[in-house]
Every structure is written in structure tokens, then in C-alpha cells.
Amino acid sequence: MQENEKVDFNQKLEEVLATEDYYQLLAELLGNYRVEYKEVIQKLASAHNSGKLDILKFLNSPHFLDGNISHIRQYLGVIGLIEAPTKAVFETSQRILSKGEYCNIPISEFLDENKSRITDAVEMLADSPTKWEFFLRSTLISQSKISLEESFQFAIELTAHSNQKIQTEAILALGYLKYSSDNDLLEKALDHIHSLLEKKHSSELTKSCLQTINEICKKNFSFAKGATKSIILCLLDESTLLLEEVSQIIWLDKEHLPAEWEEHFLRFFDKFSITDWQKVHVVDYALATLLNRERSAEVIALLEQKLVVNNNVNLEITNFHDISKAIWESEYIDHEQLFTRWFYSGNHCLCQAASDIISEHENSPSKVSKIEETQDYFYIARKAVGWLFIKPKLATFYVLSVLENCDESDIDKISNLLFYPLIMNTPHTVEEVIKEHAAKLDKRKKKAQALVKVLKKSNAYHDVINKASLNKELHPSTRSREAMGRKRLVEHEAMMKEVHKTSFLASLFGNNKKVILYGNKSVYKQYIGNGESKRQVMPLSKISHSTEVPIFFSIDPVGLNRLINIFRYER
């Protein structure tokens, strides 16, 4: 914020507070200073503590509570800086929270280590824990700063409360109390949590127990092994709520994750389908974390198992962005060996997963890995062509890498895959790759000779196709092309009208037609300090993208589709 803006705000704040009923004016003023909210909070707290402003009255006023508080809720941080009775602050915070909007109210900052405020808060909580349940955890944590024993005992008592929300908050508080180095209380907390888990409990309570166990073991790692028995009890709950919590622990606390827990967490993931994993997006981060650790082989085995039994035909492994990235980049995974194994399996889901990940890395093509049965390289090459056909460059690279490993007796039939279906459909893309590769080979080797043969065969074939394309009888007449163009225009306009009816953007911008002007430059006015405008011209650059469409999509689409499906689904 510039200096003149600071002066402007300070001056306006003084003017607003000088009025008799400043609530509406103050709400409007805060709405205009949303960017520099931290400095504004300091100013508001200073005005309150000096007696110029009663911030609690403002927050309780209809101008704040009855309006839309979303645009000024970022100023609620002022509560942590003011001098005010504890009960008044709690009551005001309760009213704001009753609005149902998410608000970050810094009760911990308000209580801090202020003994009188903490004492008041504890007494209020003891008298009516249900009323002040939202502030339970903050109050207990603040109390532990001045009296850990009392706070610990109070939390233990509240874990037996009849209200589940209070139970949950008390359990969570046990994990975040300021224990310092008091290991006796940490051990007592773990024992108490274990006793709770041995009884009948809800998913919400199990989740809070798991979170608390993790927090306590982070404070003292030596308890992790003994806490494994409690972890096992937690994992008996097969809810997606607990799946999310386990994933959060693996992802966010990977540096503190005990090795004893990893095996149990993997077994827990096995209880869910891959569709369930997709619903809980944090699973992606968690499994990617484990893929970058020494248990990567176990995670890959689990992933393969889930892909094989998956019933969701629309599922793509690349929807798990972090898992896909980890498979490609992890030092613990040889992704070329993995993709070869997946293609070799012939399983539809595994082949699809391999092709999806390979297709995302067009600038660093994958290669085949060596296998024991060299006669099966032809099978793997057919699989790669079938699944990577829509990415002809990647498919070509893969087949060329197969030629590096196969027996000489298989070179001809594998190189023929480069001719059909690859080079016959996308000659420009495939020829470029083959020529670059052939230039690096020893011309006396059979592989180099096979590639030269493929290129000659391609040239002869496309010469025939080009000559045939000059035959006028094969082209529709001008009249027929115009009729087809009009037909497509009418169909396109009808389609656009239907789409427009249900378009979300159309509901935002109305039904008026928009006209887009085309040109090679953009001209606009820029206003300078003296009130005058200056004409500015910005040249526009050209952006283009082209894709080579397979020729057989027009010549023989049924035959091409049949061939690709044979390559994909043969076992």
C-alpha cells in the first residue's frame, strides 16, 4: 500500500468513528480495503484498545451480522488483538459462526498465555461444554501453557462426555496440548486413546483418535511402535472418512511416518476399490508419497490389483496425477520395465494405464525393457502400436526400441508394423522419426536395412495414393461440396442453439450475440496523468497447432478400427 493510501485510510477511519452511528460506514470502508487487511486489522485493534471504537459492538451490529460478511470476514483477526472480556468475545464469535459461513476466528491468539482470560474460558467451558464446544480445543491448548496437568485431566474427563462433538474435540486436544518433554502424560494419553478404541465408537471418533495418536508420536517417536496396536484398532473402521485421514497422515507427515505403520496403511487401502480412491482425492497424494519410498513395489502391486478388477470403464490412471508422476519419476521404479510388463500381461486395464502415462510424456518417449522370451517382442510391439496408435510418434519410438532387443529373425515382421498401420496412416510424423533413427545406425546391420526398406515401401505407396488423388472422378463436384457446406452450417447452428439453452456461461452473459473482430493488431487508449489519452498499438502474434489425421480414417475406418482392436485385445 502506498503512503498516500495509508493516510487516506487513517483519515477516513477517523471520519467514520467521529460519526454518531458509524456501523454502516465502517462496513463500507472495510469493503474498500480488502488487500491490505493486515495493516487494517492493526488500525482497528488500536482504535478499539484506545476507546475510539468498540469492535465487539460493530461485529454484533445488524450491519455486520445481517449482511454478507464474506467480504469483511478477513478482518476477524482483530479479535486476537483486542482487550475485552472473555465471555463477550466468545459470545460475539458464536454469533458470527451461527451465520454458517466459514470464518477463521483467532481465539487461541486472544487467550494466548493470559491467565485471567484462560481461567474465565475454562470456567465457562466447565459450566456449559455444549455451548462453547467450538472453543473447546483452543481453550484446552491455551490452558496447557499455564497448567498442563489440569488441562490434560480436563481433556480426559471430556472424552467421556455424552455429546460426540465434545468427545471428538477433547480427543483432538489431547494430541495438541503443550506437553514439552513430559513423556508420562504422553504415554497416559496413548493408553487412554487405546481404551476408547476398544469400545464401540463412530467413524468421527476413530478419525480423531488416529489423528491424536499421530500427533503424540510426532512429539516422541519412541512411542510409535507401541502405538501400532491402537493404529490397528483404528483401521478396523472401513469408512472413507478414515481413508481420508490415513491419506492425510501419509502425505503431510511423511517425514515422521513410522515404518511400522506403512504396512498396515497399505492393507487398509486394499479394503477400498480404485473408484473409492478417486472419490477421496488425498489418496492420490498419499500413494504417490509411498511410491517415492522403499515400499514402492508393494504400492505398484496394490495398484495393479485394483486396476485389474476395476469395473469403471471411464477411469484413467492419469486422473491420479501424483501417482502417474511418481511412476514416471520415482527413483525406486523402473517405469520402462513396468510398462513392458503391463503390455506383456495383455490385460486391458494395465495396457490402458501404460499408454495413458506414456502419452503424457511425448518429449521423452518410453522404450521397451528386456524380457526373457525374445519371441514375445512381436506381441509387445503389437500391443504398443494398438494402444499408442493415437500418438504415432511414441508408438514409432517404442517399436524402434523393440527392434533393438528382438532376434534378427523377428526384425522383418516387427518393422512391418512401422509400415502398416503407422507410416501408411501418418507418414509425415512416422517418417521423420524413422529417418532420424536410421541415420544413427550402421548401414550394414539388418535393422538399418529393414528401416530403409520400410521407407522405400512407404514412398512407393504414397506415390500411388497421390496419383490416385488427382483423378477428378474421386472428388465431389463444387455443387455437392457447397450443398454439404450448407447442410453442416444448418446443423451447427441448430446444435449451438440447443447448447446455448443449457449453457452456464450463457446464463451469466445473457442471450445477446457477441461479435469478435479479427486482425493483426490491437489498439487501445492509455490515460496518462494530465487527463489526456495516448494511442497504444499492440501487434498480435500468430498461434497455430496441427495434428496429422490417420489416412485410413477416410479410406478404411472399419478395417483400421478392427486392426487396432485386435492389437489391443489379443491375449
Side-chain angles (χ1 to χ4, degrees):
M1 182 161 44
Q2 299 176 357
E3 190 63 32
N4 62 337
E5 291 177 333
K6 292 182 181 180
V7 173
D8 182 52
F9 175 77
N10 293 337
Q11 182 180 345
K12 287 185 178 181
L13 180 60
E14 293 289 340
E15 292 173 0
V16 167
L17 297 180
T19 60
E20 185 176 347
D21 186 2
Y22 57 76
Y23 301 117
Q24 179 64 33
L25 293 175
L26 181 57
E28 293 174 0
L29 179 63
L30 293 178
N32 294 327
Y33 286 85
R34 285 178 283 177
V35 177
E36 302 296 337
Y37 69 94
K38 291 183 179 179
E39 292 187 29
V40 173
I41 286 173
Q42 294 286 345
K43 296 292 182 183
L44 293 175
S46 178
H48 174 89
N49 294 334
S50 63
K52 296 179 182 179
L53 163 68
D54 190 333
I55 196 68
L56 294 182
K57 281 189 177 181
F58 168 66
L59 295 177
N60 282 303
S61 68
H63 300 285
F64 181 81
L65 286 177
D66 294 345
N68 179 13
I69 67 172
S70 61
H71 68 293
I72 54 177
R73 64 186 173 193
Q74 58 192 332
Y75 300 114
L76 293 175
V78 71
I79 291 175
L81 304 176
I82 63 174
E83 297 290 337
T86 305
K87 186 175 182 180
V89 170
F90 275 33
E91 288 175 340
T92 300
S93 301
Q94 283 278 48
R95 292 191 186 97
I96 295 171
L97 292 170
S98 67
K99 289 282 291 181
E101 297 188 39
Y102 172 75
C103 296
N104 182 22
I105 301 178
I107 293 299
S108 297
E109 294 178 21
F110 173 75
L111 295 176
D112 196 23
E113 295 184 27
N114 189 306
K115 190 172 182 178
S116 62
R117 291 180 183 177
I118 293 173
T119 301
D120 291 341
V122 171
E123 289 177 356
M124 291 164 55
L125 189 61
D127 291 339
S128 181
T130 307
K131 181 178 180 180
W132 309 112
E133 64 181 27
F134 179 82
F135 311 111
L136 187 151
R137 203 188 318 175
S138 299
T139 300
L140 289 175
I141 294 171
S142 297
Q143 186 190 18
S144 68
K145 295 177 183 178
I146 60 173
S147 179
L148 178 59
E149 287 279 357
E150 292 181 14
S151 177
F152 180 84
Q153 191 56 43
F154 193 14
I156 293 292
E157 292 173 6
L158 290 174
T159 59
H161 199 277
S162 57
N163 185 300
Q164 182 177 289
K165 176 63 176 176
I166 293 173
Q167 271 187 295
T168 302
E169 287 296 314
I171 291 169
L172 290 171
L174 281 173
Y176 292 95
L177 298 182
K178 303 301 178 181
Y179 289 99
S180 64
S181 59
D182 196 331
N183 292 341
D184 291 339
L185 287 182
L186 286 171
E187 191 170 7
K188 287 180 181 178
L190 285 175
D191 290 341
H192 184 72
I193 294 297
H194 188 77
S195 66
L196 291 174
L197 290 169
E198 289 179 323
K199 303 173 185 176
K200 187 177 180 181
H201 45 266
S202 64
S203 296
E204 289 79 5
L205 190 141
T206 305
K207 178 183 176 181
S208 62
C209 286
L210 180 59
Q211 186 175 335
T212 297
I213 293 168
N214 181 54
E215 289 300 322
I216 290 174
C217 292
K218 281 165 60 178
K219 289 178 172 60
N220 190 324
F221 195 75
S222 64
F223 289 124
K225 188 173 183 179
T228 304
K229 59 181 181 181
S230 299
I231 294 292
I232 294 172
L233 288 179
C234 288
L235 300 182
L236 294 176
D237 187 319
E238 298 180 12
S239 65
T240 54
L241 191 67
L242 199 66
L243 177 63
E244 182 176 15
E245 183 59 33
V246 169
S247 302
Q248 291 273 13
I249 290 173
I250 295 172
W251 173 43
L252 298 177
D253 296 323
K254 52 182 173 288
E255 295 177 1
H256 308 281
L257 187 64
E260 296 91 344
W261 297 2
E262 289 185 13
E263 182 179 352
H264 297 290
F265 284 161
L266 280 173
R267 289 177 184 172
F268 181 68
F269 282 120
D270 192 20
K271 296 178 181 179
F272 300 87
S273 68
I274 198 168
T275 305
D276 293 328
W277 291 1
Q278 196 172 19
K279 292 175 183 176
V280 183
H281 69 278
V282 197
V283 171
D284 183 21
Y285 311 146
L287 291 179
T289 299
L290 294 176
L291 282 169
N292 286 305
R293 296 164 75 99
E294 294 181 358
R295 287 192 179 272
S296 60
E298 295 173 55
V299 180
I300 288 294
L302 177 61
L303 181 62
E304 288 177 346
Q305 175 194 334
K306 296 301 177 183
L307 286 170
V308 168
V309 300
N310 168 52
N311 294 321
N312 183 1
V313 294
N314 297 317
L315 182 117
E316 297 179 9
I317 194 171
T318 48
N319 290 337
F320 297 97
H321 175 268
D322 284 51
I323 291 176
S324 302
K325 183 180 178 183
I327 288 174
W328 187 268
E329 298 178 355
S330 175
E331 61 179 299
Y332 298 100
I333 300 173
D334 183 344
H335 64 261
E336 292 182 354
Q337 185 182 66
L338 178 66
F339 297 150
T340 301
R341 179 156 56 83
W342 284 0
F343 280 139
Y344 187 60
S345 72
N347 180 269
H348 172 85
C349 295
L350 294 181
C351 291
Q352 179 73 66
S355 66
D356 286 345
I357 298 176
I358 292 172
S359 298
E360 284 204 332
H361 300 85
E362 199 153 0
N363 294 328
S364 52
S366 182
K367 301 177 181 178
V368 74
S369 180
K370 290 186 177 181
I371 58 174
E372 294 181 2
E373 300 295 332
T374 55
Q375 66 268 26
D376 289 333
Y377 276 119
F378 180 54
Y379 172 77
I380 294 176
R382 287 162 67 92
K383 284 292 175 189
V385 171
W387 285 102
L388 296 173
F389 180 74
I390 58 174
K391 295 282 186 178
K393 190 174 182 179
L394 293 176
T396 304
F397 271 117
Y398 207 92
V399 175
L400 290 173
S401 72
V402 171
L403 289 173
E404 294 284 351
N405 296 281
C406 68
D407 287 340
E408 284 198 359
S409 58
D410 292 328
I411 285 180
D412 287 336
K413 64 180 182 180
I414 292 176
S415 63
N416 281 336
L417 294 174
L418 294 172
F419 178 69
Y420 182 70
L422 292 176
I423 209 168
M424 286 180 68
N425 279 280
T426 51
H428 300 295
T429 302
V430 176
E431 278 185 8
E432 181 183 354
V433 175
I434 294 177
K435 286 178 180 177
E436 288 181 3
H437 187 78
K440 302 173 186 177
L441 300 176
D442 185 345
K443 301 296 185 291
R444 295 168 296 179
K445 298 291 184 179
K446 186 173 181 180
K447 177 183 176 181
Q449 294 171 0
L451 295 182
V452 171
K453 183 179 178 181
V454 168
L455 290 173
K456 288 181 178 179
K457 195 174 178 181
S458 171
N459 290 334
Y461 172 78
H462 286 102
D463 282 344
V464 173
I465 293 293
N466 290 333
K467 288 178 182 178
S469 67
L470 298 176
N471 191 335
K472 293 182 179 180
E473 282 70 20
L474 295 178
H475 296 273
S477 65
T478 302
R479 186 174 181 179
S480 298
R481 289 199 301 270
E482 290 176 351
M484 178 59 70
R486 288 192 296 270
K487 179 176 180 293
R488 288 179 176 174
L489 178 63
V490 172
E491 290 175 348
H492 178 73
E493 288 181 344
M495 178 185 68
M496 291 299 292
K497 286 180 181 179
E498 287 299 315
V499 172
H500 200 78
K501 292 177 183 177
T502 57
S503 170
F504 173 71
L505 293 177
S507 66
L508 293 178
F509 301 110
N511 297 319
N512 295 328
K513 290 184 178 180
K514 305 295 185 299
V515 179
I516 300 176
L517 300 179
Y518 293 87
N520 60 4
K521 61 186 176 181
S522 174
V523 181
Y524 61 96
K525 289 183 178 181
Q526 183 179 27
Y527 291 91
I528 52 182
N530 58 4
E532 297 179 357
S533 61
K534 186 177 180 180
R535 187 173 184 268
Q536 298 287 341
V537 179
M538 182 177 67
L540 300 179
S541 59
K542 182 185 291 186
I543 299 175
S544 63
H545 177 75
S546 61
T547 301
E548 190 174 10
V549 179
I551 293 173
F552 275 63
F553 276 4
S554 301
I555 297 177
D556 184 17
V558 175
L560 178 62
N561 185 61
R562 180 176 178 275
L563 179 70
I564 297 303
N565 281 326
I566 288 174
F567 283 1
R568 287 185 174 187
Y569 297 104
E570 65 181 350
R571 299 295 291 267

